[in-house]
Amino acid sequence: MKKGLSIFLLTGLMLTGCHQAIDTQTISIPSKVSPVKLEIEKEFEALTVKANQGDSEAQFNIGKAYYDGHGVGQDYAKAIEWFTKSAEQGYVPAQYQLGTLYNYGEGARQNYYKAARWYLNASNQGDARSQYNLGMMYYAGHGVRANPVIAKKYFAKACGNGYQLGCNNLGILIERD
């Protein structure tokens, strides 16, 4: 009984000591993190000014920050709002991002029609990933009428722009002909 009580008391003392050590360590961390957080906030404010002035890249980056929760709380609705502002100005990464969000239902309700529309906009500007994804949509009939001939056309464009998956799918469709 005495041995069990001794072990119990020693364990309690060790845990108390560990708790104090942990408290001591965490007290010093905020002073190191605070300047980093302030820097992120300053960068976000500067980016917001640019975005509100119509800078499409800044709008995209704000959307990405909201989507990822980087420097701000994650907010898919705000992310889509900023991506849309950027995409409507023709910024290809935002168009691709919106296509992907709607295609997979990431942060938005899945909507193949909207996905195809955004991929088409980016594809027309030479974005290989959008060309590939649009080819997949035409192949599967998601958001567009299934059409293997048009799918092959988009896979060929993606392949021509160096996107290997486009080349792979183009090869498969050619073998089937």
Side-chain angles (χ1 to χ4, degrees):
M1 171 98 169
K2 285 185 179 183
K3 186 176 182 180
L5 182 60
S6 297
I7 291 175
F8 176 76
L9 290 174
L10 281 174
T11 303
L13 286 173
M14 287 187 336
L15 288 176
T16 303
C18 288
H19 175 68
Q20 289 173 348
I22 290 170
D23 283 347
T24 303
Q25 290 172 355
T26 56
I27 289 170
S28 64
I29 291 174
S31 64
K32 292 179 184 176
V33 173
S34 184
V36 172
K37 186 175 181 181
L38 288 175
E39 186 63 31
I40 290 172
E41 288 173 1
K42 284 181 187 178
E43 288 176 16
F44 190 79
E45 286 175 25
L47 203 56
T48 302
V49 169
K50 285 182 176 181
N52 285 327
Q53 292 172 343
D55 183 314
S56 61
E57 185 177 357
Q59 291 168 338
F60 172 77
N61 287 328
I62 290 213
K64 194 83 172 108
Y66 277 116
Y67 187 78
D68 295 334
H70 180 72
V72 293
Q74 190 173 46
D75 187 330
Y76 292 132
K78 284 185 180 179
I80 290 170
E81 176 186 335
W82 284 106
F83 286 146
T84 302
K85 287 178 182 184
S86 178
E88 286 174 347
Q89 292 189 70
Y91 192 65
V92 172
Q95 293 171 339
Y96 171 79
Q97 187 71 36
L98 282 171
T100 301
L101 293 175
Y102 288 118
N103 193 22
Y104 296 104
E106 294 177 355
R109 180 176 288 237
Q110 190 172 40
N111 185 324
Y112 291 130
Y113 175 77
K114 285 183 178 182
R117 184 180 71 136
W118 287 116
Y119 283 146
L120 178 61
N121 289 340
S123 173
N124 287 339
Q125 295 185 68
D127 185 63
R129 296 175 306 168
S130 296
Q131 292 164 341
Y132 169 79
N133 287 338
L134 200 51
M136 290 299 294
M137 294 182 88
Y138 271 104
Y139 185 76
H142 290 163
V144 294
R145 183 171 290 154
N147 187 326
V149 173
I150 295 175
K152 192 186 305 184
K153 172 185 142 185
Y154 281 107
F155 290 143
K157 285 183 176 190
C159 181
N161 284 319
Y163 199 67
Q164 186 60 46
L165 292 175
C167 299
N168 296 349
N169 284 4
L170 177 63
I172 291 167
L173 291 182
I174 289 172
E175 282 181 15
R176 290 184 182 172
D177 285 346

